[in-house]
Amino acid sequence: MLRRLLRIVLALVAIGFLGYGLARNWDDTTTALAALSPWAVLGSFLAVMLGQFLMLVAWREIMAGLGTRVPLRVAGRIMFVGQLGKYIPGAVWAYAAMMDLGRDHGSPPRRTFATISLGLVINLGVAISIAAATLGSLEAVREAWYLVLLVPVIIVCLHPKVLGWGLNLALRLARREPLESVLPGRTVVVAVAWTVLGWFVYGLHIWLLTGRTDLYLAGTGAYAFAWATGILTVVVPAGVGIREGALVLVLGPVIGTAPALAVAIVSRLAFTLADAALAGVSFLLGRQAAPVEAPSSAAVYADQNGSGSTALTPDRNLSGSPEA
């Protein structure tokens, strides 16, 4: 009961911060919308939605590789509903919400934690690599050359043995049981491929908003650079303000400061609305899949990998008692 109440409170707080972000930028947003083609705005929103879906496919692939296989609608409920926590100040709320939702559908918190962490590392590595490959000639990106140094580090960290060691170390520090198995190398490759495809779909929304047919690759790299900058600023909820500033910094010299600002504002609006829409749709679709404790869903999750009963039951703390 207490856990359910806490979940409701966190969801309401997340929606409140999401609404605050929209209200704060309302005047600029309406001005930007008036200057843009409605078809471009609609197309950018649909591109963001498709990109988010491809990221979900990659995320579900990682979770399956770790031993928790769930339908796509259930993975969407865990990921899209849980990630609303990113709008709350602090870096733990999205993790906590997604781990809690994952437990309802047969994923022990340690597996969901590992899935989130690996998905973030892959996303960051792909984003920085795309930015480096497409924006190397821009002064603003050259000044942030040190971010490129993260790419070989991330590649090394994605090796299955290094990855397993790092994730189990993090789990031990969090006083949770280690993972039962190492993520297969094939799963990493497939997840990276889906993530790369997702990023190039994301690039479509910047391309549509700029109205420049020659800026697809540059637009993709610009958003990748802005997202990576925002995600590395962990103290700001969802990178609000940081991401927009980085996008204007990169696009401004190419299309002008005012158009770049309009693109940044509408891009934020598209992602915020996509987060809300996908969370709502996933919540409704995910409710069709009963929680793992329900007898009717036992057969669906019975084939999940894991050692003993830990694959389908909550983690236990170091004393052996079930966690609250």
Side-chain angles (χ1 to χ4, degrees):
M1 178 63 181
L2 180 61
R3 185 160 64 94
R4 186 177 297 275
L5 179 61
L6 179 60
R7 182 188 301 176
I8 293 173
V9 171
L10 289 178
L12 291 175
V13 172
I15 292 172
F17 275 100
L18 189 153
Y20 170 75
L22 283 174
R24 191 179 66 172
N25 294 319
W26 187 253
D27 290 340
D28 290 336
T29 301
T30 54
T31 301
L33 283 172
L36 291 172
S37 164
W39 294 108
V41 174
L42 177 61
S44 68
F45 173 72
L46 294 177
V48 168
M49 293 275 284
L50 178 57
Q52 293 275 53
F53 175 78
L54 294 173
M55 296 301 183
L56 170 64
V57 175
W59 196 85
R60 177 174 174 255
E61 184 73 22
I62 297 169
M63 179 172 275
L66 291 174
T68 297
R69 295 177 176 85
V70 295
L72 195 61
R73 65 179 185 274
V74 172
R77 185 169 190 254
I78 297 170
M79 177 177 164
F80 292 134
V81 176
Q83 75 174 1
L84 288 179
K86 68 186 180 182
Y87 290 97
I88 303 174
V92 300
W93 302 112
Y95 266 80
M98 293 167 77
M99 289 164 66
D100 194 45
L101 288 166
R103 174 159 35 190
D104 286 350
H105 294 283
S107 177
R110 63 186 181 277
R111 280 196 206 151
T112 310
F113 174 87
T115 301
I116 302 167
S117 301
L118 181 55
L120 185 61
V121 169
I122 290 176
N123 252 310
L124 190 59
V126 171
I128 293 174
S129 299
I130 290 175
T134 58
L135 300 177
S137 62
L138 297 183
E139 183 64 29
V141 177
R142 287 205 301 269
E143 291 177 358
W145 59 269
Y146 51 86
L147 291 177
V148 180
L149 298 179
L150 292 175
V151 175
V153 174
I154 291 172
I155 291 174
V156 171
C157 289
L158 288 178
H159 187 281
K161 290 185 178 179
V162 177
L163 176 64
W165 175 85
L167 289 175
N168 284 328
L169 175 61
L171 288 166
R172 282 197 297 271
L173 293 175
R175 298 177 64 83
R176 295 190 179 277
E177 294 178 0
L179 295 170
E180 305 96 330
S181 60
V182 175
L183 188 67
R186 177 186 176 279
T187 299
V188 175
V189 173
V190 172
V192 168
W194 280 113
T195 302
V196 170
L197 181 59
W199 271 106
F200 279 104
V201 171
Y202 279 159
L204 290 173
H205 94 283
I206 298 294
W207 174 63
L208 288 169
L209 292 175
T210 60
R212 292 267 303 270
T213 57
D214 60 327
L215 287 183
Y216 170 64
L217 288 178
T220 303
Y223 183 74
F225 173 78
W227 180 87
T229 303
I231 206 68
L232 291 172
T233 312
V234 295
V235 296
V236 179
V240 175
I242 304 298
R243 191 168 79 192
E244 287 73 27
L247 192 56
V248 172
L249 184 68
V250 175
L251 286 180
V254 180
I255 64 174
T257 301
L261 181 59
V263 168
I265 293 171
V266 179
S267 172
R268 169 63 71 174
L269 179 63
F271 271 90
T272 302
L273 292 178
D275 283 343
L278 289 170
V281 172
S282 298
F283 176 78
L284 294 175
L285 293 178
R287 293 188 67 179
Q288 298 176 13
V292 71
E293 292 83 3
S296 61
S297 64
V300 177
Y301 302 100
D303 65 341
Q304 294 191 44
N305 294 332
S307 57
S309 62
T310 59
L312 297 178
T313 56
D315 279 358
R316 297 176 177 269
N317 57 30
L318 295 183
S319 66
S321 60
E323 295 182 350

